[in-house]
Amino acid sequence: MTDTANLFLEVDNLKTYFFLHEGTVKAVDGVSFNLYKGRSLGVIGESGCGKSVTAHSILRLVPSPPGREVDGKILLHLHEGSNGSSTEEIVDTLKLERNGPKMRSIRGKEIGMIFQEPMTSFSPVHTIGSQIMENLLLHTPGISKKEARDRTIEMLQRVGIARAHQQVDAYPHQFSGGMRQRAMIAMALICGPSMLIGDEPTTALDVTIQAQILDLINDLQAELNMALMYISHDLAVVGEMSDEIIVMYLGLVMEHASTDEIFDNPLHPYTLALWRSIPTIEGKLERLTPISGTLPSPFAHIPGCPFFSRCERRIPGTCDAALPPLKEVAPGHWVRCVLY
Amino acid sequence: MSSQTPIAIPQTPEAPPETIIEPGKAATDERYYYASQWQLIRWRFSRHKAAVVSIVLLVILYILAIFAEFFSPYTPDTRFEGYQSAPPTPIHWIKPNGGGFGPYVFDTVRELDKETFKYIYQPDETKVLPIHFFVHAEPYKLLGLIRTDIHLFGVKEGRVLLFGSDRLARDVFTRTLFGARISLSIGLVGVFISFVLGVLLGGISGYFGGVVDDVIQRVIDFLLAIPGLPLWMTLSAALPRDWPTLKLYFAITVILSILGWTGLARVVRGKMLALREEDYTLAARGAGASAWRIITRHLLPGFTSHLIVSITFNIPGMILSETALSFIGVGIQPPAVSWGTLLQDAQNLTAVAQQTWLMIPALFVIGTVLLFNFVGDGLRDAADPYAR
Amino acid sequence: MVNQPQPPLLEIQNLKKYFSAQRGFIRRQLVTVKAVDDVNLQVQAGETLGIVGESGSGKTTLGRCITRLYEPTGGKVYLNDAGGRISVTELEGEDLKRFRRKAQTIFQDPYSSLNPRMNVLQTVGEPLLVNKLAKGKELEERVTETILQVGLRVEHLQRYPHSFSGGQRQRIGIARALVLQPEVIVADEPVSALDVSIQAQVLNLLIDLQQKYRLTYLFISHAMSVVRYISDRIAVMYAGKLVELGPKTELLEYPRHPYTEVLLAAVPRTAQRHRGKRNVTPGEPPDLANLPKGCVFVPRCKYAQDICRAQAPELRQVGTNLVSCHFAESLHLQGIKFETT
């Protein structure tokens, strides 16, 4: 996994806090991971665990104020030029101006993002094609309009939109939910990014359409050799999309391992509890064991492990005293728990 | 933390939820849990400093208007012969010759400038006239009920003209306070009429829909297409000149409300349509609740806060319209006093150039409109405590 | 349970619900959307019938027609209980009100289903109040009893919805449905808006309440795994029609309708993860205003023949299931391989 040539993203001790009237929300509180081209990382967690904020921090899309990346590094390994003779440039996005030209070019060109609700990502008054094209014209110097249009049509075809040469002039409301999501993928990929972030991109879709979109993302990732960061609350979906998975809870990484390890040999009590609380389509049919309690308030200041109050195996006096570190308990398997 | 309060819920072997003591949720949050919508609105409103200050100032303004007889030293019709178009009397505090500290004015003497043939007013520094509080002066009926002659302040001899006098030698300060009565109340009364019309017609439009909705919406479209000022001018010009002030006042209010209700009706209709689709409305229907109960318990409370906001924003419009109509002479007619009629005196250039104090009522109009807008801003932000 | 001689609790016969909508801006035309089209269904007392389908399949509309939240365009619903047989679709006034006590709904969105201006006592107490079943002290007692049943606490009575989490709000919604002591509860996606760790709490609560009060559930969901967990039988809907109905294990393991197969194949698996090896069926959910002649599933069906385009199949018994497919007997469709360990 230490494949330096393909290393694209290094997130190191990222902390993103929101300073609200009611208090400070530590939405992301020290998250680190590396992401390589051609590989995919799944991020699992419940609402408020900081999975989306992590993605937004990478793209510097956190609304500020009230949000601010207070600590950490987000290093992008950008490669200029093509085949072999490329020069590597390492950029810390946290050092860039939120809406400066460099950051805008990273957002448009280097990292594509697809969201849950595709309707809000498209302006209703412009055609789908013109919005995708705009992205291309903006980030590709010297491209002609004709060329941009042709590449847009090509991309729409690639993401599975039938009659793309006609649909390129359609307006967003003329598309179904699934087609809009395809168009959004086309928009995210039109500039040939090195990384794609999917933030619950299939949550609003029907299962059958979800399957199609997941398939499409998988194919495109392999084809374009992109790094993929896939965020979802749906464990099964993340399982299908990722090589490795991080499990987040209240802004912290609780467990980080390969997908097979996370599914077949989960270690953290939270991961274990999650597994026992979800019904599956093929597993043994037995009574589910819910995780007791509710998520603590986001304003809460928790000195120890944030899962302490809901944990079955908690050790009072130890777990609530200090936050356990994220430990590598087996090669490539990190767990934040005093039990290991 | 470790002591989980066991709650006996039969047949639920798992630890019941809600039994976890949530760290950080201190007792202060309890208040928030039990807070109703109005409390939440109050809390959020109180965070809007400008709005809170504005509402206090507005309340003061209304109190000044309601008790105008008490707060003003004279009556609006008191004339000071020989003191036409006098500038504001300056107030001094430290009395000459160690006379102590306290507000006083000098008597003024009028002289004719031999070159310009204009009267100029000079203070006569030998005559110190202390301002007295709670003085007995012209009798009046407080709130139309209590007969008294006490005024907040006044001088026993001479004159105190805080805002100067007009060309008929009447105290502008007194007249401004009295003018506030009509100007400030016309906004409230007018908005009340708009409110009744708007909620009624908007509600009918939204709840029943269909043809009724279409008709009402087309009427609104039509009314909105008519330019306001010409319409008001035509209508008020048609009012008989010899109507008594009160009758004229209501007629003007009704005229102003004719267009005012349309916006409100749209707000009500839109909200009605949206809330009708909420699941809780459906749930109430599923429980067997009557249409009346659904409207009064589930629909109306859902947008009263929005109504208040839109009313607050409507009031300054009404005030401005009245001022405009009275200013051009088709609204409230003298001798009735409103800010608009007061400003009639400032219509000519001489007045603006040389008797700037006649413009003071305009400052009141601007101030009031701004204050209402600040309050409206604060209310709008606080209105929907659940939006977030 | 199913084979008892007593009549089914709910009999749904040829139920239809059509909506008319205007389409087009310049050339307006009235189109009819057949949200529920000719559905026949029987629900036994005490069972949980899961209703699955994509968005626009008519599952929510079906549930709302049965509880008379919507007025059906045609067809009949009968309720057979201790009080005899009533024709639900013909009830008016007080009779309708009495029926509403027996059939309650739990809604999907825990946010829009609670009036933010009413506290728990008012929300849960409203059904009792409007049915004049209790008031004052007695009302409070009955509400308290009910909220304890759903895992809320007495001190929650005076709290407003904004102070509750999604899971707790859903419990309030359940309490509101439960307080009238209904026989049937239509649960419309009751857990899909909740966090994964909260879903199991609510599902288990529903199961426990069912056992305790012998409730009958119509459990509407798009999540196959959730439906498998809670249901006894599963009904699959497509474009307003019932396409397959059967006991859950049989239906999941040996689906008989091609649409059921497509649906099952799309469900992401946790145990048999198949990255990129999936057999994805193309196609979009149907346009309800513009359905094909014959079988509604034809445009997405890989087994379609000429007869499917010409003639709509009837719902008929094939093995354990009711299926509406011309080739239900001959097709060998792929279902779920259950884990045995």
Side-chain angles (χ1 to χ4, degrees), chain C residues 128-145:
Chain C
L128 292 174
L129 202 67
V130 298
N131 285 291
K132 302 193 178 66
L133 294 174
K135 57 181 175 187
K137 196 95 196 104
E138 198 200 336
L139 181 101
E140 199 172 324
E141 273 165 24
R142 284 188 61 179
V143 170
T144 310
E145 198 184 309

Side-chain angles (χ1 to χ4, degrees), chain A residues 171-299:
Chain A
Y171 287 89
H173 68 90
Q174 294 170 307
F175 273 26
S176 69
M179 275 162 77
R180 251 179 257 138
Q181 202 56 278
R182 286 173 194 276
M184 175 124 101
I185 294 172
M187 182 145 87
L189 298 186
I190 189 74
C191 292
S194 311
M195 177 175 171
L196 180 65
I197 300 178
D199 188 359
E200 307 257 10
T202 63
T203 306
L205 303 174
D206 279 316
V207 262
T208 50
I209 308 303
Q210 165 173 288
Q212 296 170 3
I213 299 291
L214 294 182
D215 228 42
L216 178 67
I217 295 175
N218 263 337
D219 286 355
L220 287 168
Q221 188 213 352
E223 196 177 305
L224 304 171
N225 192 35
M226 288 183 295
L228 175 67
M229 179 172 169
Y230 197 92
I231 298 166
S232 179
H233 70 280
D234 188 327
L235 312 177
V237 167
V238 172
E240 293 204 359
M241 298 304 290
S242 327
D243 300 314
E244 56 186 305
I245 291 177
I246 59 182
V247 180
M248 286 183 74
Y249 190 79
L250 285 187
L252 290 164
V253 175
M254 301 309 252
E255 190 162 1
H256 181 174
S258 72
T259 302
D260 287 339
E261 276 285 292
I262 289 279
F263 275 86
D264 301 334
N265 183 27
L267 295 177
H268 196 283
Y270 175 58
T271 319
L272 283 160
L274 268 184
W275 260 227
R276 275 182 290 137
S277 72
I278 56 155
T280 63
I281 190 72
E282 78 276 51
K284 226 166 107 191
L285 206 52
E286 54 192 15
R287 192 175 167 92
L288 299 174
T289 317
I291 304 178
S292 65
T294 51
L295 278 169
S297 153
F299 303 109

Side-chain angles (χ1 to χ4, degrees), chain A residues 93-112:
Chain A
T93 65
L94 291 187
K95 295 227 168 69
L96 296 176
E97 219 180 300
R98 248 166 234 288
N99 281 313
K102 184 77 189 169
M103 205 56 236
R104 285 207 308 271
S105 114
I106 288 174
R107 278 202 285 266
K109 227 170 112 184
E110 302 292 343
I111 305 176

Side-chain angles (χ1 to χ4, degrees), chain A residues 40 45-48 176-179 182 203 205-212 214-215 218-219 221 228 233-237 239-243 259-261 263-264 270 274 276-295 310, chain C residues 53-56 59 165 168 192 194-201 203-205 207-208 211 222 224-226 228-229 248-249 252 259 262-285 300 336-341:
Chain A
S40 60
E46 296 173 83
S47 55
S176 69
M179 275 162 77
R182 286 173 194 276
T203 306
L205 303 174
D206 279 316
V207 262
T208 50
I209 308 303
Q210 165 173 288
Q212 296 170 3
L214 294 182
D215 228 42
N218 263 337
D219 286 355
Q221 188 213 352
L228 175 67
H233 70 280
D234 188 327
L235 312 177
V237 167
E240 293 204 359
M241 298 304 290
S242 327
D243 300 314
T259 302
D260 287 339
E261 276 285 292
F263 275 86
D264 301 334
Y270 175 58
L274 268 184
R276 275 182 290 137
S277 72
I278 56 155
T280 63
I281 190 72
E282 78 276 51
K284 226 166 107 191
L285 206 52
E286 54 192 15
R287 192 175 167 92
L288 299 174
T289 317
I291 304 178
S292 65
T294 51
L295 278 169
R310 304 173 75 184
Chain C
E54 293 164 296
S55 51
K59 51 191 196 302
S165 66
Q168 289 170 315
S192 31
L194 305 179
D195 266 323
V196 274
S197 76
I198 306 299
Q199 289 192 3
Q201 290 179 2
L203 288 174
N204 283 357
L205 173 68
I207 291 173
D208 295 339
Q211 282 165 0
H222 69 277
M224 292 300 272
S225 53
V226 171
R228 174 185 177 228
Y229 179 63
K248 69 172 162 195
T249 316
L252 293 174
Y259 176 61
V262 167
L263 212 51
L264 293 177
V267 179
R269 314 286 159 90
T270 43
Q272 302 139 16
R273 290 181 301 283
H274 43 202
R275 254 205 101 175
K277 290 174 291 194
R278 177 208 282 281
N279 194 1
V280 174
T281 315
E284 294 259 327
R300 294 169 73 180
I336 303 287
K337 281 196 191 69
F338 294 124
E339 279 183 349
T340 41
T341 47

Side-chain angles (χ1 to χ4, degrees), chain C residues 50-321:
Chain C
I51 303 176
V52 296
E54 293 164 296
S55 51
S57 63
K59 51 191 196 302
T60 293
T61 312
L62 176 67
R64 292 188 175 177
C65 284
I66 293 171
T67 49
R68 286 287 300 273
L69 287 176
Y70 288 170
E71 292 305 318
T73 312
K76 298 257 190 253
V77 175
Y78 294 101
L79 179 82
N80 304 301
D81 64 357
R85 178 181 175 91
I86 52 171
S87 175
V88 173
T89 33
E90 278 149 30
L91 295 175
E92 294 286 349
E94 279 305 307
D95 293 331
L96 177 60
K97 220 167 148 178
R98 221 164 336 192
F99 163 74
R100 292 204 188 283
R101 287 189 226 160
K102 297 179 179 175
Q104 284 290 307
T105 309
I106 299 170
F107 293 89
Q108 168 177 9
D109 185 348
Y111 290 87
S112 90
S113 67
L114 300 181
N115 187 338
R117 285 132 197 117
M118 285 163 70
N119 63 26
V120 173
L121 177 61
Q122 289 166 327
T123 297
V124 180
E126 183 174 48
L128 292 174
L129 202 67
V130 298
N131 285 291
K132 302 193 178 66
L133 294 174
K135 57 181 175 187
K137 196 95 196 104
E138 198 200 336
L139 181 101
E140 199 172 324
E141 273 165 24
R142 284 188 61 179
V143 170
T144 310
E145 198 184 309
T146 313
I147 66 164
L148 289 177
Q149 289 293 322
V150 300
L152 296 171
R153 284 175 299 168
V154 181
E155 57 263 41
H156 289 149
L157 273 183
Q158 305 294 337
R159 282 210 204 161
Y160 287 83
H162 63 85
S163 68
F164 293 102
S165 66
Q168 289 170 315
R169 281 160 170 263
Q170 207 52 295
R171 286 170 193 269
I172 300 171
I174 294 171
R176 174 178 56 194
L178 210 60
V179 74
L180 288 172
Q181 300 174 324
E183 296 170 11
V184 185
I185 290 185
V186 174
D188 191 354
E189 306 259 16
V191 297
S192 31
L194 305 179
D195 266 323
V196 274
S197 76
I198 306 299
Q199 289 192 3
Q201 290 179 2
V202 173
L203 288 174
N204 283 357
L205 173 68
L206 287 173
I207 291 173
D208 295 339
L209 291 171
Q210 177 173 44
Q211 282 165 0
K212 191 166 178 197
Y213 297 108
R214 202 158 179 270
L215 295 166
T216 305
Y217 287 145
L218 264 76
F219 192 96
I220 298 165
S221 179
H222 69 277
M224 292 300 272
S225 53
V226 171
V227 170
R228 174 185 177 228
Y229 179 63
I230 201 166
S231 310
D232 301 309
R233 292 191 300 152
I234 297 176
V236 183
M237 287 188 72
Y238 184 81
K241 290 197 183 293
L242 183 65
V243 296
E244 188 166 4
L245 172 70
K248 69 172 162 195
T249 316
E250 285 80 355
L251 185 129
L252 293 174
E253 199 166 8
Y254 304 108
R256 302 265 182 188
H257 195 284
Y259 176 61
T260 314
E261 184 188 41
V262 167
L263 212 51
L264 293 177
V267 179
R269 314 286 159 90
T270 43
Q272 302 139 16
R273 290 181 301 283
H274 43 202
R275 254 205 101 175
K277 290 174 291 194
R278 177 208 282 281
N279 194 1
V280 174
T281 315
E284 294 259 327
D287 175 4
L288 290 179
N290 196 8
L291 288 175
K293 238 178 80 196
C295 174
V296 283
F297 189 59
V298 160
R300 294 169 73 180
C301 184
K302 57 181 171 185
Y303 310 106
Q305 307 281 326
D306 286 343
I307 182 173
C308 302
R309 286 176 197 89
Q311 195 185 337
E314 294 285 320
L315 196 68
R316 62 182 195 281
Q317 191 82 36
V318 180
T320 52
N321 300 0

